[in-house]
């Protein structure tokens, strides 16, 4: 049995299936971890989700910001009109509801304590302990799965609070946590969120902000965190992090990594 993690597919179904062929993915024996942003931008979001849905327990998906936008669009819980989405294909399909209700049940964070890998779309806040990560991600998952999903999503929109404090209200904590897990890239020196910058760290003009993973987190250092979300960062690996959004929707590459013992990986890529 092999476990493969795949970066942001964003509706690029043809490329996704090419990548599965490249890695010899066998749905009977292997597992697929999806780093989120399954939908939007590319032409076949519906087919991407349907395929992953059919893998059932052989796939683990963590939600990305675009997956949240799809849920929000379906439930009309999004205050911002996203002119550039192609969600109508899913929303208007006879199987649309099935897809949305499957999406609602997916994870925010997936941790494999034995292998030592954490899968999350954007990242983990440097000040959090393992307990915080588990508690906050479970809270978000439970809210999405529950009857009040629409109401919950409506509370999420916004960039504030920017700074994590133990005494934030429950609602503020979940806004902050959703932003960290699905949208974060840069932090200010005081560990507050900075949403102004999306570029590659080598190209930014503001020298006072830092990629979130530049800040040490003693609590997660025995894990390797796998993220998508940051296509301008592209493939990047250090002792505790692997970034695998390589911009398939922008015509670059789609990446899979095979998870091996001792937090080692083997990398596969196809051209998009
Ligand atoms: Mn994203």
């Amino acid at each position: 049995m092999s476990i493969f993690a795949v970066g942001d597919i964003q509706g690029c179904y043809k490329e996704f299936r090419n990548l599965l062929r490249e890695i010899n993915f066998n749905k009977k024996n292997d597992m697929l971890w999806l780093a989120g942003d399954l939908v939007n931008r590319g032409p076949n979001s519906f087919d991407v989700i349907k395929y992953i849905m059919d893998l059932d327990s052989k796939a683990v998906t963590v939600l990305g910001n675009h997956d949240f936008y799809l849920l929000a669009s379906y439930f009309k819980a999004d205050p911002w009109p996203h002119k550039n989405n192609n969600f109508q294909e899913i929303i208007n399909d006879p199987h649309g509801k099935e897809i949305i209700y499957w999406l609602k049940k997916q994870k925010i964070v997936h941790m494999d304590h034995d292998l030592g890998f954490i899968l999350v779309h954007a990242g983990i806040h440097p000040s959090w302990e393992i307990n915080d990560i588990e508690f906050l991600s479970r809270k978000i998952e439970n809210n999405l799965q529950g009857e009040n999903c629409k109401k919950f999503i409506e509370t999420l929109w916004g960039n504030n609070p920017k700074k994590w404090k133990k005494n934030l209200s429950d609602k503020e904590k979940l806004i902050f946590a959703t932003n960290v897990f699905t949208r974060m890239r840069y932090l200010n020196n005081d560990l507050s969120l900075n949403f102004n910058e999306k570029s590659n760290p080598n190209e930014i003009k503001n020298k006072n902000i830092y990629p979130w993973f530049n800040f040490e987190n003693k609590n997660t250092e025995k894990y390797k965190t796998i993220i998508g979300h940051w296509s301008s960062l592209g493939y990047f690996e250090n002792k505790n992090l692997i970034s695998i959004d390589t911009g398939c929707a922008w015509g670059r590459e789609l990446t899979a990594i095979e998870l091996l013992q001792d937090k080692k990986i083997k990398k596969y890529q196809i051209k998009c």
Side-chain angles (χ1 to χ4, degrees):
M1 184 197 103
S2 302
I3 302 177
F4 298 96
V6 175
D8 306 29
I9 303 168
Q10 296 235 271
C12 297
Y13 182 66
K14 197 181 76 192
E15 291 80 358
F16 174 45
R17 295 303 302 273
N18 285 345
L19 180 67
L20 295 184
R21 257 190 301 278
E22 175 75 21
I23 64 178
N24 275 317
F25 178 69
N26 175 338
K27 47 179 143 182
K28 283 207 182 70
N29 302 320
D30 299 335
M31 285 279 301
L32 214 53
W33 290 12
L34 291 311
D37 282 357
L38 304 178
V39 299
N40 211 6
R41 294 210 168 102
N44 301 103
S45 295
F46 181 91
D47 295 336
V48 170
I49 296 201
K50 193 77 181 62
Y51 184 88
I52 296 165
M53 242 171 104
D54 291 342
L55 290 177
D56 200 26
S57 62
K58 294 297 183 178
V60 172
T61 299
V62 295
L63 298 178
N65 50 322
H66 287 272
D67 308 311
F68 263 93
Y69 293 150
L70 170 56
L71 288 175
S73 296
Y74 181 84
F75 290 108
K76 299 192 171 55
D78 184 350
W80 301 311
H82 290 275
K83 291 189 207 98
N84 298 324
N85 74 53
N86 49 21
F87 298 149
Q88 291 313 314
E89 173 207 11
I90 292 177
I91 292 171
N92 296 334
D93 191 277
H95 296 285
K97 191 174 174 186
E98 216 181 299
I99 281 188
I100 295 294
Y101 278 75
W102 175 85
L103 207 55
K104 252 161 69 72
K105 286 189 292 192
Q106 303 314 302
K107 305 185 88 170
I108 300 299
V109 176
H110 179 66
M111 301 183 77
D112 189 317
H113 300 288
D114 298 328
L115 279 174
F117 285 99
I118 299 175
L119 178 72
V120 64
H121 183 62
I124 301 286
H125 198 260
S127 70
W128 286 346
E129 297 175 13
I130 299 297
N131 281 342
D132 297 317
I133 300 166
E134 286 181 331
F135 177 80
L136 292 163
S137 61
R138 204 165 305 140
K139 261 249 147 57
I140 299 168
E141 289 161 7
N142 288 343
N143 273 295
L144 287 178
Q145 284 167 27
E147 291 290 303
N148 291 324
C149 173
K150 174 182 170 150
K151 273 220 168 83
F152 172 65
I153 294 176
E154 277 171 344
T155 67
L156 289 181
W157 306 116
N159 293 339
N160 293 308
K162 292 223 167 44
K163 209 168 170 199
W164 179 253
K165 293 186 199 115
K166 293 265 183 210
N167 64 356
L168 292 176
S169 71
D170 286 354
K171 183 183 155 186
E172 288 172 322
K173 279 183 179 164
L174 294 187
I175 297 172
F176 185 90
T178 306
N179 282 334
V180 165
F181 290 139
T182 69
R183 295 177 61 209
M184 172 177 70
R185 290 187 185 88
Y186 287 97
L187 297 176
N188 301 303
N189 227 335
D190 64 354
L191 303 185
S192 58
L193 296 165
N194 186 309
F195 292 114
N196 300 329
E197 191 57 72
K198 292 183 170 191
S199 313
N200 182 289
N202 297 324
E203 289 160 12
I204 58 170
K205 292 200 180 74
N206 183 350
K207 296 295 169 205
N208 298 315
I209 59 171
Y210 306 89
W212 65 268
F213 50 81
N214 278 21
F215 295 93
E216 187 177 79
N217 184 342
K218 288 266 175 226
N219 307 304
T220 54
E221 69 180 3
K222 64 174 186 156
Y223 295 89
K224 202 155 198 173
T225 301
I226 303 167
I227 60 162
H229 185 57
W230 200 338
S231 65
S232 66
L233 176 65
Y235 189 86
F236 176 79
E237 185 180 358
N238 68 21
K239 193 170 147 280
N240 297 112
L241 183 96
I242 310 178
S243 156
I244 58 171
D245 178 5
T246 43
C248 183
W250 305 109
R252 286 163 42 210
E253 291 94 26
L254 187 61
T255 299
I257 52 172
E258 184 177 357
L259 310 187
L260 307 170
Q261 291 300 314
D262 304 320
K263 291 183 280 174
K264 295 208 166 45
I265 59 107
K266 185 177 175 191
K267 175 179 148 192
Y268 301 84
Q269 279 185 333
I270 57 132
K271 272 274 171 214
C272 295

